[in-house]
Amino acid sequence: MSQVWLITGGNRGLGAAIAHAAIKAGHHVAITARNPESAENHVSVEGEQLVVLRADVTSVEEVQSAVDATVAAFGRIDVLVNNAGYGQLGNFEEVSQQGVEQQFATNVFGTMHVTRAVLPVMRRQRSGRIFNISSMAGYRGFGGGAIYGASKFAVEGLSEALAEEVKDFGIQVTIVEPGYFRTDFLDSSSMKMGSIEIDDYQELSAARQKARQSYNHQQQGDPDKLAAALVFLAAQPEPPLHFAVGDDAIQAIEEKNARVQQDIDRWRTLSVETKYTES
């Protein structure tokens, strides 16, 4: 059955791949972008399956206008993909407070703005699917990406709680946790580095940046295959809450789960001894 998809940041990268896959599957798609004209280079389709909307997810007003325009064009919203975002990399001390706030404004508050605008539509329908694009860095922290990871950890916490809150309305939430996929994520157009130079970090930061540059556009993940997987999951009656995508994501998540379990086992006695007892 044909669905209506709303995809933020759908003008390039993973967003454009997801839009292509949804259109190919026969669905109607609305994509948002801060610069809609750039979508012409990445997303095109003949007919009336696609609308391209201007919206900066940090603007509540622009987000609401985009949601209203999607409903006006297609009558409903069946699938929301919160994809808009970027990577603020660099060690924690190297990232300015402004950099921290800008990262959260897009990755966290932007996701909240769009979800808040779409939920009334889905509640009226008593149905809907929400895919929140996180990262393996939203499940396991990585050095050199503290602020980006923190923003994606926030998306994961929001998503887990939201899934509990909206399930009775027929709305299902899936947290998508990609590893490295072959997009522009490691380009300067999608990634920002810390603006504070600290001598103690200089050698380590330079090595990490060199590694990222050598890996750019060599990532093992195929965006088109991720997109096809989301189209498949959107049709499943019981989609996963967490969807780790790629061998590297699965490995990172399994390693963290094992370390957490080791800590629980090692310190279990000390932990349970904190229980209050009557004197």
Side-chain angles (χ1 to χ4, degrees):
M1 185 174 67
S2 179
Q3 299 168 325
V4 175
W5 288 55
L6 173 60
I7 304 166
T8 66
N11 56 318
R12 62 191 182 113
L14 286 181
I18 296 166
H20 275 297
I23 290 168
K24 183 178 179 181
H27 303 308
H28 291 82
V29 175
I31 64 174
T32 73
R34 288 182 301 171
N35 179 17
E37 293 76 15
S38 66
E40 296 177 1
N41 298 324
H42 301 278
V43 183
S44 61
V45 63
E46 295 181 0
E48 300 179 351
Q49 278 184 267
L50 174 70
V51 295
V52 181
L53 305 167
R54 182 184 304 278
D56 182 335
V57 296
T58 66
S59 167
V60 173
E61 293 78 13
E62 291 186 17
V63 164
Q64 188 62 59
S65 293
V67 170
D68 292 343
T70 301
V71 175
F74 299 130
R76 57 190 294 118
I77 299 174
D78 299 299
V79 182
L80 167 64
V81 183
N82 278 309
N83 169 73
Y86 69 93
Q88 172 62 70
L89 303 183
N91 297 304
F92 171 68
E93 285 189 278
E94 296 176 313
V95 181
S96 68
Q97 184 61 27
Q98 182 182 18
V100 174
E101 292 176 2
Q102 289 175 342
Q103 178 76 119
F104 272 70
T106 299
N107 290 10
V108 182
F109 299 130
T111 295
M112 290 182 177
H113 296 333
V114 178
T115 304
R116 191 183 297 277
V118 169
L119 279 175
V121 179
M122 290 185 171
R123 282 192 289 103
R124 286 195 297 270
Q125 298 168 176
R126 286 299 193 262
S127 66
R129 305 293 179 95
I130 298 174
F131 291 109
N132 285 336
I133 306 299
S134 177
S135 166
M136 63 180 180
Y139 194 94
R140 171 188 168 182
F142 291 88
I147 302 307
Y148 174 69
S151 74
K152 292 302 188 179
F153 266 72
V155 169
E156 299 237 351
L158 167 68
S159 301
E160 289 186 357
L162 182 66
E164 291 282 335
E165 295 172 356
V166 300
K167 62 183 180 181
D168 290 341
F169 306 122
I171 303 169
Q172 296 165 305
V173 179
T174 294
I175 307 162
V176 183
E177 297 154 335
Y180 284 105
F181 274 74
R182 199 165 296 186
T183 67
D184 292 336
F185 179 78
L186 295 178
D187 287 350
S188 60
S189 60
S190 297
M191 177 189 70
K192 295 183 180 180
M193 296 302 300
S195 59
I196 301 171
E197 294 185 3
I198 298 176
D199 289 342
D200 283 344
Y201 293 119
Q202 191 171 40
E203 184 176 347
L204 178 60
S205 296
R208 283 179 175 151
Q209 180 62 2
K210 183 178 180 180
R212 293 188 190 104
Q213 290 173 346
S214 67
Y215 203 45
N216 191 20
H217 297 296
Q218 302 300 317
Q219 301 95 319
Q220 67 179 18
D222 184 334
D224 293 333
K225 291 180 179 179
L226 183 154
L230 295 194
V231 171
F232 174 81
L233 289 179
Q236 301 308 302
E238 296 183 1
L241 176 59
H242 290 268
F243 180 49
V245 201
D247 291 344
D248 49 353
I250 290 174
Q251 180 180 349
I253 289 171
E254 288 181 335
E255 287 175 352
K256 175 179 176 175
N257 288 344
R259 288 201 305 272
V260 171
Q261 190 61 53
Q262 288 172 359
D263 285 343
I264 290 173
D265 293 341
R266 181 180 180 186
W267 301 104
R268 185 182 301 273
T269 299
L270 181 63
S271 177
V272 299
E273 284 177 351
T274 60
K275 181 179 180 180
Y276 188 86
T277 55
E278 296 289 344
S279 57

